[in-house]
Amino acid sequence: MNDPSPASSNAAHQEHAVLELEHFLPYRLSILSNRISQTISGLYGQRFGLAVTEWRIMAVLGRYPELSAGEVAERTAMDKVAVSRALARLLERGLVQRDTHGDDRRRSVLELSPVGYTVYDEVAPMALECERRLLAGLDENERAQLDALIIKLAAGVGNIQEK
């Protein structure tokens, strides 16, 4: 018969691996990223009615016009379905336009519309100012270290998978 007392419950838990989520790096990075994204998206979301996924697509297209939807998904590291849904909303609102590639009529390319560039030209400086404020507590050396560590961690992501 199973004993539901706290002592037997603790013993059962001791048989399992312990994952302290609050100290687990992927979780901590995700929480930090979500908090930063939510804070920034609060600024442009209310003013321009954009979701985080929509702004990320606009940011990529603002820098790299004439990408396919697949290339946008690659550059944003977002799921193709999420990109497709966000693109549909952006196209419907007239912030992004779709055209065929000059050399390959079968290839569809995306770029910001004139209205999309107007929004981009307002949101991009806001996002950069948020980044500046976030990093203000770090000195130049710490910012360089953070950047180097992020690059190093990103390069090591492939090592996570079991071989």
Side-chain angles (χ1 to χ4, degrees), residues 13-50:
H13 286 297
Q14 290 174 355
E15 297 172 15
H16 302 285
V18 175
L19 174 63
E20 295 177 352
L21 201 53
E22 66 277 9
H23 299 292
F24 185 56
L25 181 63
Y27 175 77
R28 292 171 66 200
L29 291 172
S30 176
I31 294 297
L32 178 60
S33 174
N34 288 342
R35 286 183 59 205
I36 293 167
S37 290
Q38 288 169 359
T39 300
I40 296 172
S41 74
L43 299 173
Y44 62 73
Q46 287 179 330
R47 188 165 173 189
F48 299 103
L50 293 171

Side-chain angles (χ1 to χ4, degrees), residues 83-93 98:
V83 167
S84 178
R85 287 183 183 143
L87 273 171
R89 290 189 298 271
L90 291 169
L91 287 161
E92 184 178 308
R93 290 184 57 196
R98 185 184 314 245

Side-chain angles (χ1 to χ4, degrees), residues 132-144 146-147:
R132 188 196 64 71
R133 285 190 214 144
L134 179 66
L135 296 174
L138 304 178
D139 64 35
E140 191 177 326
N141 230 12
E142 290 170 323
R143 284 192 295 269
L146 177 62
D147 190 49

Side-chain angles (χ1 to χ4, degrees), residues 2-163:
N2 290 342
D3 180 5
S5 69
S8 69
S9 177
N10 285 340
H13 286 297
Q14 290 174 355
E15 297 172 15
H16 302 285
V18 175
L19 174 63
E20 295 177 352
L21 201 53
E22 66 277 9
H23 299 292
F24 185 56
L25 181 63
Y27 175 77
R28 292 171 66 200
L29 291 172
S30 176
I31 294 297
L32 178 60
S33 174
N34 288 342
R35 286 183 59 205
I36 293 167
S37 290
Q38 288 169 359
T39 300
I40 296 172
S41 74
L43 299 173
Y44 62 73
Q46 287 179 330
R47 188 165 173 189
F48 299 103
L50 293 171
V52 173
T53 53
E54 294 165 349
W55 167 243
R56 286 185 183 161
I57 290 168
M58 289 185 68
V60 167
L61 291 175
R63 179 146 188 237
Y64 305 102
E66 297 191 1
L67 293 178
S68 69
E71 290 167 329
V72 169
E74 244 178 69
R75 286 199 183 263
T76 58
M78 291 190 303
D79 177 72
K80 286 182 181 182
V81 174
V83 167
S84 178
R85 287 183 183 143
L87 273 171
R89 290 189 298 271
L90 291 169
L91 287 161
E92 184 178 308
R93 290 184 57 196
L95 297 171
V96 170
Q97 53 196 28
R98 185 184 314 245
D99 203 355
T100 53
H101 189 269
D103 296 340
D104 183 355
R105 295 312 225 178
R106 296 168 298 169
R107 183 170 179 249
S108 165
V109 292
L110 302 158
E111 64 182 336
L112 295 180
S113 68
V115 174
Y117 272 112
T118 300
V119 171
Y120 174 86
D121 289 339
E122 286 192 52
V123 177
M126 288 169 42
L128 289 169
E129 177 59 19
C130 289
E131 179 190 46
R132 188 196 64 71
R133 285 190 214 144
L134 179 66
L135 296 174
L138 304 178
D139 64 35
E140 191 177 326
N141 230 12
E142 290 170 323
R143 284 192 295 269
Q145 281 181 315
L146 177 62
D147 190 49
L149 290 170
I150 289 171
I151 290 168
K152 200 171 194 176
L153 285 172
V157 168
N159 297 335
I160 293 174
Q161 297 174 346
E162 284 189 50
K163 307 258 178 184

